[in-house]
Amino acid sequence: MPKKIPATTKPVVRVLPLLGVSHLDRLFDYQIAEEDSEAAQPGVRVRIRFNGRLVDALLIQRLSESDFEGRLAFIDRVISPFPVYPPQLASLVDALANRYGGTRSDIIRFAIPPRHAKAEEADLETTFEELGEIAEPDLSSWSAYQFGESFVDFVLEGNTARAAWQVAPGDDWAAAIAALGTKVAKSGRGVLVVVPDQSDVDVVESAFRKYVSAKQATVLNVSQGPQARYRRYLSVLVGQARIVIGTKSAAFAPVKDLGLAVIFNDGDDNLVERSAPYVHSREVLTTRSAQENASLLIVGHSRTAETQLLVSSGWAHDLVAAESTLRTRMPSMVAVGPYGLNFSRNLASGTTSFDGRAYQAVKSALDRGEPVLVQSPRKGYVPTLACAKCFTRARCRHCNGPLSLPHSHEQAATPSCAWCGKLETRFKCSECGSNRLRAVVMGSERTAEELGRIFPNTRIIVSGGNKVVETVPMAPALVVATPGAEPRVENAGETESYYGAALLLGAGALLNRQDLRAGEDALAKWLAAATMVAPSSKGGSVVISANAGVPIIDAFLGWDVVGFAKMELAARREVRFPPAVHMAAIDGADAALDDFLEAAKLPEHAEILGPVPLPENLSLPGEYDTKRFGPAQRLLIRTPLGPRSELGKALRAANSNRSARKDDLPLRIQVDPINIG
């Protein structure tokens, strides 16, 4: 092998090895050979020899000399000449690693798709304008919002504006985003739209197709094949793709000259990365907005406490419709009490309770030739059972799991355990001794069955679980769907498409979850369904099975989204929970938690809560021997609001020390997790 000669200019390269090891999450100096000098530019992938083995790394910087006094090794080779890790992405990853107490290589793993050599042969020189004609967008829909026109003008002038946009009932949010995004792209700046799932991607992509060609609006998500995903990433990198639509990984897309970033429904947990360091797409985009001076739009029918904090602090502003606009667009809203829409609550008697107002709303919609949406909080038949006498949850005698009726067999159905699957033929309540059962929550299948009895000769459509229906026709039908699986109404003609009425069942099942965000999530689900219903002027009505007078129900009935978000944030401040404070959840064995806390130099005024047993529905990553190390524990670290990275930096340093000591016990660090437990 010929001897390598150092490059004549800036022969030293500083690289970041992609090792996924906390204490090695730093830069190392190598030499670059003259023959690799032209390709070895900041941001490219390289191969280096590290600790006796070849590993991938990213070239961060070129220098004339190194601070290292020893002999520098040469990099093995430049893998690709494309700078896939540009400076703005490097700055973003550094900030998020400090924010979440994680390692940069873990973030880079889902920020940059794996290389595919064939994709690098694609045409990446055609400009955005050459890919197709761009239609003139219609921005009139923004006029319905207070300061909507001012916001649009400010963004199009190249200024930085940040807003929390509460979508008015019945408004086509995707069409409004597409119109504004197209206008920004026409001005030469980039647009990035991040949504929770593929169905939302399809809606946004379809909206953009009215103005731009298929190649001008690039879709990025993890479901694409390796070649397609990497090729599209490169097209974004070189500036060919100016409009990017995708799920959570797309939040890192290196859009050139980013002018507008959009995130839809930021309370959806699909926007949180499932692996360490558990980055939230909202945090990615807020960081990018600050670093790249890009406008930001947080869009939703509801509003999270985190978004309300951004508005309350003045970092973002409200973008809401006037009250008069809301009143004209809202359907008629009514609450009929918790039992007004409860089907066959007592399994022994088979009685059915159906409020007269709800019946009339459904019948009127069907008579007008419109579909009716019925939102059921659970899939299946009867997913939760309780004693009919004392209402104690029915439990399996073998494993203490919850009893349910998974399938429809009328009164002959035998309850079974949702955990171990054993049949319970001789149920006896552990509290009162009764052998009678009642349904706590009806599943979508049982709901569809009961509605079929009440409205015979009406088509029933069930959507949820592994059978999600995307669209239904503008025709009489009862559409029973679980939250998030509500089909869109489509009409082949030019007339509007909507549900004539909606029934929202099991409000208590959504509100009574042991979760900090139960109310926030419930309101989001109800609003998402209600906005698909015709306005009251066209006979549209929404009926919810809950008592009026409860603050969250009153907020829903009055479509007071901002008011509820303010109330929710105030409640979090009172009990000192996120986002009113910074909080980290640390999960691991007792010994691992003790060592971690001993090594951590926590910020001043940090408060440690726990440890307590890890919630039953959670498990530690990797292999964990409970018999050897004891039950997994969770402790919480709470600090007052301040610099976002202060707590994360302390946790990152402590984890690095732990890694250097080769402590291999599983430990999970989550900063401001979406669910605390």
Side-chain angles (χ1 to χ4, degrees):
M1 178 182 294
K3 185 177 180 180
K4 291 187 175 182
I5 301 173
T8 55
T9 59
K10 295 187 176 181
V12 177
V13 291
R14 195 154 282 172
V15 303
L16 175 66
L18 302 179
L19 301 171
V21 181
S22 296
H23 71 284
L24 298 177
D25 184 27
R26 57 191 179 89
L27 304 182
F28 294 85
D29 287 354
Y30 282 76
Q31 288 189 88
I32 186 73
E34 179 62 33
E35 62 264 28
D36 293 327
S37 181
E38 184 178 353
Q41 300 303 315
V44 301
R45 284 186 171 105
V46 296
R47 186 69 55 86
I48 62 172
R49 190 165 292 278
F50 191 93
N51 197 25
R53 63 190 181 97
L54 288 174
V55 299
D56 288 340
L58 290 167
L59 196 158
I60 304 301
Q61 189 179 11
R62 287 190 63 165
L63 304 167
S64 298
E65 56 185 26
S66 172
D67 297 334
F68 181 66
E69 296 179 355
R71 181 173 175 272
L72 294 178
F74 283 92
I75 67 167
D76 184 73
R77 63 188 176 91
V78 177
I79 297 175
S80 167
F82 285 93
V84 295
Y85 194 57
Q88 70 268 25
L89 180 55
S91 178
L92 174 66
V93 170
D94 287 347
L96 292 172
N98 288 330
R99 166 81 171 91
Y100 285 97
T103 61
R104 284 175 286 186
S105 56
D106 285 340
I107 300 174
I108 290 167
R109 183 183 66 249
F110 52 81
I112 305 176
R115 178 180 180 251
H116 195 287
K118 195 72 175 175
E120 295 180 352
E121 301 173 8
D123 172 25
L124 298 173
E125 296 183 0
T126 305
T127 66
F128 176 78
E129 287 80 7
E130 291 172 342
L131 290 172
E133 294 184 3
I134 305 173
E136 187 62 30
D138 178 12
L139 298 171
S140 60
S141 61
W142 293 97
S143 302
Y145 297 88
Q146 294 177 331
F147 310 113
E149 293 181 357
S150 300
F151 173 81
V152 169
D153 292 341
F154 203 70
V155 171
L156 295 180
E157 289 169 2
N159 301 304
T160 301
R162 306 180 183 106
W165 177 30
Q166 299 313 128
V167 183
D171 209 349
D172 190 342
W173 63 270
I177 291 297
L180 178 58
T182 301
K183 196 74 173 177
V184 171
K186 284 187 70 173
S187 71
R189 302 196 71 187
V191 177
L192 175 58
V193 183
V194 179
V195 295
D197 53 45
Q198 186 59 46
S199 63
D200 293 322
V201 169
D202 295 339
V203 171
V204 176
E205 184 184 10
S206 176
F208 269 101
R209 289 289 177 264
K210 297 177 181 178
Y211 307 112
V212 297
S213 69
K215 291 184 178 180
Q216 287 172 313
T218 300
V219 173
L220 278 178
N221 56 50
V222 294
S223 64
Q224 294 165 339
Q227 181 176 346
R229 188 180 174 208
Y230 186 58
R231 175 179 54 78
R232 296 183 184 197
Y233 183 87
L234 293 181
S235 72
V236 176
L237 183 70
V238 301
Q240 183 186 67
R242 203 176 287 168
I243 299 171
V244 178
I245 307 161
T247 49
K248 57 190 174 186
S249 61
F252 293 91
V255 180
K256 279 197 171 184
D257 193 16
L258 182 62
L260 176 66
V262 180
I263 184 168
F264 175 68
N265 194 13
D266 67 300
D268 194 312
D269 57 9
N270 284 328
L271 292 170
V272 182
E273 182 59 39
R274 303 298 182 189
S275 56
Y278 312 99
V279 174
H280 196 300
S281 298
R282 180 188 55 244
E283 297 299 307
V284 179
L285 295 188
T286 54
T287 304
R288 292 191 69 170
S289 176
Q291 291 184 344
E292 301 178 43
N293 294 320
S295 293
L296 176 66
L297 203 51
I298 304 176
V299 185
H301 298 106
S302 61
R303 180 180 290 189
T304 61
E306 285 77 6
T307 297
Q308 182 58 37
L309 180 63
L310 295 177
V311 174
S312 299
S313 66
W315 193 84
H317 67 82
D318 279 318
L319 195 58
V320 299
E323 186 173 346
S324 58
T325 302
L326 287 177
R327 297 304 170 201
T328 58
R329 295 190 180 189
M330 281 175 56
S332 171
M333 313 277 279
V334 62
V336 295
Y339 303 120
L341 300 175
N342 219 347
F343 306 129
S344 299
R345 292 183 292 111
N346 191 315
L347 298 183
S349 65
T351 56
T352 298
S353 174
F354 197 75
D355 185 88
R357 290 166 292 179
Y359 178 86
Q360 190 57 46
V362 174
K363 186 175 185 305
S364 296
L366 295 175
D367 290 344
R368 294 193 303 266
E370 300 163 353
V372 174
L373 176 63
V374 182
Q375 188 187 73
S376 174
R378 299 285 187 271
K379 63 180 181 179
Y381 194 64
V382 182
T384 309
L385 295 171
C387 171
K389 184 177 180 181
C390 69
F391 310 122
T392 300
R393 288 288 177 94
R395 294 284 179 178
C396 173
R397 288 180 293 171
H398 301 278
C399 71
N400 204 40
L403 294 182
S404 65
L405 291 178
H407 304 292
S408 172
H409 295 296
E410 300 296 338
Q411 299 302 320
T414 302
S416 64
C417 177
W419 290 357
C420 68
K422 291 183 180 294
L423 297 178
E424 180 55 86
T425 57
R426 296 181 179 179
F427 168 77
K428 190 172 184 180
C429 178
S430 59
E431 294 295 324
C432 68
S434 172
N435 60 0
R436 294 186 298 115
L437 288 167
R438 76 189 296 272
V440 177
V441 177
M442 287 295 173
S444 55
E445 291 180 17
R446 180 60 180 257
T447 298
E449 184 180 289
E450 291 297 324
L451 286 171
R453 292 192 179 101
I454 300 171
F455 299 96
N457 304 319
T458 301
R459 184 186 180 193
I460 306 288
I461 301 171
V462 179
S463 177
N466 57 5
K467 186 184 177 183
V468 176
V469 180
E470 295 294 334
T471 61
V472 295
M474 184 71 168
L478 286 164
V479 182
V480 182
T482 52
E486 298 92 347
R488 300 187 308 276
V489 181
E490 287 194 348
N491 193 347
E494 297 295 326
T495 58
E496 293 182 275
S497 301
Y498 44 70
Y499 287 102
L503 308 181
L504 308 180
L505 312 182
L510 294 177
L511 291 174
N512 294 333
R513 292 187 300 116
Q514 298 299 311
D515 193 302
L516 179 68
R517 301 178 184 273
E520 193 175 89
D521 293 344
L523 184 60
K525 291 178 172 67
W526 299 334
L527 290 170
T531 196
M532 304 171 79
V533 180
S536 58
S537 60
K538 296 183 179 179
S541 58
V542 174
V543 182
I544 184 170
S545 60
N547 285 323
V550 179
I552 187 173
I553 302 302
D554 287 346
F556 171 65
L557 297 177
W559 213 285
D560 186 11
V561 179
V562 175
F564 179 77
K566 290 178 178 178
M567 183 172 59
E568 186 73 12
L569 179 59
R572 305 275 185 91
R573 282 178 170 146
E574 186 175 344
V575 296
R576 299 181 63 212
F577 271 95
V581 296
H582 292 308
M583 183 173 284
I586 318 293
D587 303 334
D590 264 335
L593 294 178
D594 290 341
D595 291 345
F596 184 82
L597 286 179
E598 186 176 345
K601 295 180 180 179
L602 298 176
E604 190 179 2
H605 306 304
E607 181 183 3
I608 299 174
L609 308 175
V612 296
L614 191 67
E616 291 183 1
N617 60 328
L618 298 178
S619 60
L620 288 175
E623 297 181 2
Y624 182 75
D625 189 342
T626 304
K627 292 182 179 179
R628 181 180 176 186
F629 302 114
Q633 303 289 306
R634 163 169 286 187
L635 64 83
L636 301 175
I637 301 174
R638 180 165 60 189
T639 64
L641 286 182
R644 295 201 306 174
S645 60
E646 187 177 21
L647 177 59
K649 281 182 178 178
L651 300 177
R652 187 181 180 190
N655 200 36
S656 179
N657 291 336
R658 178 177 175 272
S659 173
R661 297 194 309 268
K662 293 183 168 44
D663 185 350
D664 56 359
L665 272 176
L667 191 78
R668 177 171 50 218
I669 300 172
Q670 298 178 79
V671 176
D672 290 338
I674 195 167
N675 293 311
I676 294 174

